[in-house]
């Protein structure tokens, strides 16, 4: 996830400066991503059979919801945030996502959390706090 967010942050910031809309950027990101996934599914183990083995309408509804909210809407909001943040800062703040996901898994689903996850989460929280404190130091006083 980290490299994708970093590359998207840098290219997203560059594209926004060049005047491209978020819709145009999203179109290219998802078209290229879909072509890559299609190539993997065609040439990878199992081929397209795994995708077409999903026959439940409920499963397709859940897959569509994940695609819409967790992917398209999330990337749209991230790109919109690039108008207000530097790409590096946005990438570091995006690393907070696994902490939220792990916390939700623990509290909602009752998933067990191991000590390396706790240490990693503390490191992420610390880095996000350091970035926020540094941003405040660098911001001009009005």
């Amino acid at each position: 996830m980290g490299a994708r967010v970093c590359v998207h942050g840098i290219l997203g910031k560059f594209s926004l400066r060049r005047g491209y809309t978020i819709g145009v950027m999203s179109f290219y990101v998802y078209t290229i991503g879909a072509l890559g996934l299609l190539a993997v599914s065609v040439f990878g183990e199992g081929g397209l059979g795994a995708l077409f083995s999903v026959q439940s309408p409920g499963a397709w509804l859940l897959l569509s919801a994940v695609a819409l909210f967790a992917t398209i809407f999330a990337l749209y909001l991230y790109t919109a945030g690039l108008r207000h943040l530097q790409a590096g800062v946005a990438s570091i703040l995006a690393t907070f996502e696994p902490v939220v996901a792990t916390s939700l898994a623990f509290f909602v689903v009752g998933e067990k959390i191991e000590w390396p996850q706790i240490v990693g989460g503390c490191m992420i929280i610390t880095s996000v706090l350091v970035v926020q404190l540094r941003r405040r130091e660098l911001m001009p006083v009005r």
Side-chain angles (χ1 to χ4, degrees):
M1 181 202 83
R4 179 186 57 83
V5 169
C6 186
V7 169
H8 181 74
I10 293 167
L11 294 177
K13 191 75 169 182
F14 177 76
S15 298
L16 286 172
R17 284 189 187 142
R18 298 215 45 190
Y20 293 102
T21 66
I22 297 172
V24 168
M25 290 172 21
S26 296
F27 172 78
Y28 285 113
V29 166
Y30 290 121
T31 300
I32 292 167
L35 292 174
L37 289 174
L38 182 62
V40 168
S41 66
V42 167
F43 298 112
E45 189 175 323
L48 288 174
L51 179 64
F52 293 114
S53 67
V54 178
Q55 296 181 8
S56 164
W60 280 107
L61 183 64
L62 287 174
L63 285 170
S64 299
V66 167
L68 180 63
F69 294 108
T71 306
I72 296 172
F73 188 62
L75 185 63
Y76 181 88
L77 291 177
Y78 179 82
T79 307
L82 287 174
R83 291 183 176 159
H84 307 286
L85 294 173
Q86 297 172 348
V89 172
S91 295
I92 291 171
L93 293 176
T95 62
F96 195 64
E97 178 188 355
V99 174
V100 174
T102 303
S103 300
L104 286 173
F106 177 76
F107 289 112
V108 176
V109 185
E111 192 169 304
K112 185 179 174 186
I113 298 178
E114 302 287 334
W115 69 268
Q117 292 169 300
I118 294 170
V119 171
C122 290
M123 291 171 67
I124 290 171
I125 291 169
T126 301
S127 67
V128 169
L129 290 173
V130 166
V131 167
Q132 288 300 313
L133 292 173
R134 183 152 168 96
R135 278 191 69 224
R136 285 199 179 115
E137 289 176 3
L138 296 175
M139 293 178 82
V141 179
R142 295 180 191 192

